[in-house]
Amino acid sequence: MNNGEVIRARNLARYYRVKKGGFFRKAMTLKALDGVSFSINKGKTLAVVGESGCGKSTLARLVTMIERPTAGQFEINGIDGDAKDKATRKKLRRHVQIVFQDPYGSLNPRKKVGAILEEPLKINTDLNAFQRQERALAIMAKVGLSREQYSRYPHMFSGGQRQRIAIARALMLNPALLVADEPVSALDVSVQAQALNLLMDLQDELNLAYLFISHDLSVVRHIADDLMVMYLGRPVEQGEKEAIFEQPLHPYTRALLASTPRVDKSARKIRAILKGELPSPLNPPPGCTFHKRCPHMTDICTRQQPGLRLLHDRQVACHHAESIAEKGG
Amino acid sequence: MSATAITDYSTQAAQAPPHPLIEFWQYFNENKGAVVGFYFILFISLVAIFADVIAPHSPFEQYRDAILTPPAWQDGGTWTYPLGTDDVGRDMLSRLIHGARLSLFVGVLVVTLSLAAGILLGITSGYIGGYFETMVMRLMDIMLALPSLLLAMAIVTILGPSLQNAILAIAIVVLPHYVRLTRASALTEKTKDYVTASRVCGAGPFRLMFLVILPNCMAPLIVQATLGFSTAILDAAALGFLGMGAQPPIPEWGAMLANALQFVQRAWWVVTFPGLAILFTVLAFNLAGDGLRDALDPKLKR
C-alpha cells in the first residue's frame, strides 16, 4: 500500500442516456459526473459538497460499485474498482461500505437488527452462527447499542439509533473506506452531533477513510480534512478544508460559504447571493458551466471551460481565480 | 391488564427471546376472529382426513326408498340421515364430509400452484425488468382481458374434462393477479435503500429477490391467497356445473350445489348445506388470512 492511500480515483465519469418525450426524439446524454479525481488517505475524510443534482450521490454509487463508471478508473487498496471478474469485485466489496441518508429506508423492516448486521458476514465470510453473533454484538457495543437491541426490529428505534445500526452494518466487514451519503441530514440537529461524533470516534479507532457527502457546510467544517466542491458533475474547487474555508477562490464556493448562517457578525464578510437556478444537466451552458450565475463572468467564460489548476494550496477551476484572490478575502 | 403487559415487556428483554413459533402464536392469538377461523380450518381438515371413519354412509350409495328425505329435526326426517338425502337418495352429511376433501384439495392446490408461479414470474419480472418484464406483463394482460371462466373452459376443453385439469385451469386463470401484485410490490421495494445496502454487501440476485425483497411483498399476497382460496372453490364448482370439473358422482361441494339447484323450492337442504359449507370454509380462510398477515407484520409488533 502506497503511503496509506485507501482510494485513488482518476477522471471518474458517469453518463446516463435519457429518452425524453416522443418516440422519435433522440436519446440525450446526461453527464451526472464528468471527470472527478481524488484520493483519500487512511484515517482522513474527504467531504464532497454541492447543491442537489451536482453528482454527489452518483459519485457515491460509483465508489460503492452500485453502478459502473462510464469512464475513468478508481482503485481501492490497490484493487481496480472496475474489475470485470466477479471474484475481484467480491473481494473489493469488503473494502468499501456505505451509510445512506435515510435511516428509515435503509434497514430491512422484516429483519431483526441481528439479522441485518449479520447479513454481510453471511455473504462474505464463512463464520458460523455463533461467531457472527459475537461480531455483531461487538460492533453494536462499539456504536453504542445495547445487547438487548440485538433481537428487536428496526421500527422500534428512533432515527438516530437507526443510523447507528446502519453505521454498524457498514462496519461489519472491516472496510477501509466508508462512503457516507448525507448520513446526518435526515436527523434532528441534536442527534446529528451525536452521529457525527460517533463517526469521528470510529475513524480514530479504526483508522477509517471517509468519503463524506453533504450539503451542510457546518457539518463539513466539523468533520472534513479535505474538501471538494462540485457543480454540475464537475469539481470546481478541491483541496484542504482550512485553505478553502479561509479563502474560497471559486465564485461558487464563495456563494456556498456565504449562504451558511453565522452568528458572529464579523464572520459574515463575503456577501454573495446566487441568482437563477442550477441549469439542466441535460443541456449545460457552453464554456464554464457556472457562467450564467457568476458575478465575475466575462467573455472568456462563455467560450472556454476552465480546467482545475493549482492556486494558493488548492485546485480551482475558474478563469478569474487570481483576481478574486487579490480582491476579496 | 395494562400493568401486566408492561412488566411482561420489560422482563422479555432480559430473558432469551421466545421461540419464533410461540412468538407468532402470541400475536396471532390477539385477533379472535382469526383464531376462530384457524380452528374451523383445523376442524374441516380433520374431517377431510378422517372422512372414511366419520361419515355414516358411503357418499355414493343411493337409498332409493329415501329420496329427498328432510333433515332429522324436520317432519318426516330420520336420524339415519341427519342432514337429509338428495334427489337420488344419497346421504347429505356423508357427501359433505367427503366433499370437504375435494374442496380443500382444490383450494390448496390452486392457491399453491398459482402463488408459486405468480411469485416467481412477478418477482423476476419486477427485479430484472426490460424485455422480460414487458413480455411477461403483456401476456398477463392478455389473460386478464379474457373472461376468467371462458379461459378456464377453453383450457379444460383442450386438456379434457377432469378435476385435475379443472384445478390446473383455475390456477392458470388466477395467475395474473399474483404476478401483478408481486411485481408491483417488488418494483417499490427494489428502489429502497435496504436493497441497495444488501447489494453493496455483495448479495447476489437470488438473495436479493427471494430473501430481501420477497418477505417485504408478502402482506398483499397473503390476503390475495386466502381470497383466492374461496375463488378457487367457487370456480371449481362452476366448472363442475358445466360438466368440466368434478364428474358425477364425485361429491364436490360446488358441484353438489349446482346439481341440486332445481330442488331449491321443495327441498331447501339439498342446496343450503353445501352452500353453508362453502361459506364457512371461505370465511374461515379469509379470517385466518387476515390474522396471519397481521401476525407476520413486524411493524405491528411491540
Side-chain angles (χ1 to χ4, degrees), chain B residues 47 49-57 97-98 101:
Chain B
V47 165
I49 293 167
F50 298 108
D52 291 329
V53 189
I54 302 171
H57 302 278
I97 289 173
H98 280 272
R101 260 187 193 178

Side-chain angles (χ1 to χ4, degrees), chain A residues 93 105 108 110 119 124 155-156, chain B residues 198 200-201 216 296 298 302:
Chain A
R93 286 235 152 84
N108 191 338
R110 291 257 158 193
E119 191 186 23
N124 288 293
H155 69 93
M156 299 167 167
Chain B
S198 284
V200 173
C201 293
N216 287 291
L296 290 178
R302 289 180 308 263

Side-chain angles (χ1 to χ4, degrees), chain A residues 285-289 291 297-306 319:
Chain A
C288 173
T289 47
H291 80 254
M297 191 263 284
T298 56
D299 200 29
I300 187 174
C301 304
T302 60
R303 283 183 280 107
Q304 198 184 343
Q305 189 162 38
H319 293 299

Side-chain angles (χ1 to χ4, degrees), chain B residues 94-104 251-253 256:
Chain B
S94 308
R95 284 181 71 75
L96 284 178
I97 289 173
H98 280 272
R101 260 187 193 178
L102 278 174
S103 292
L104 285 186
E252 198 262 329
W253 289 346
M256 284 165 73

Side-chain angles (χ1 to χ4, degrees), chain A residues 66 93 96-98 100 105-112 119-120 122-124 148 151-153 155-156 169, chain B residues 9 13 17 23 193-194 196-203 207 211-212 215-216 296-299 301-302:
Chain A
I66 298 166
R93 286 235 152 84
V96 54
Q97 285 293 314
I98 186 167
F100 291 98
S106 65
L107 303 174
N108 191 338
R110 291 257 158 193
K111 285 194 177 161
K112 293 182 176 174
E119 191 186 23
K122 231 178 207 171
I123 297 169
N124 288 293
E148 293 92 71
S151 48
R152 300 223 179 128
Y153 285 97
H155 69 93
M156 299 167 167
R169 171 180 57 194
Chain B
Y9 175 62
E23 198 188 347
D193 277 346
Y194 69 87
T196 316
S198 284
R199 193 180 302 157
V200 173
C201 293
R207 188 182 186 91
L211 296 177
V212 179
N216 287 291
L296 290 178
D297 189 350
K299 280 188 203 117
K301 289 181 183 173
R302 289 180 308 263

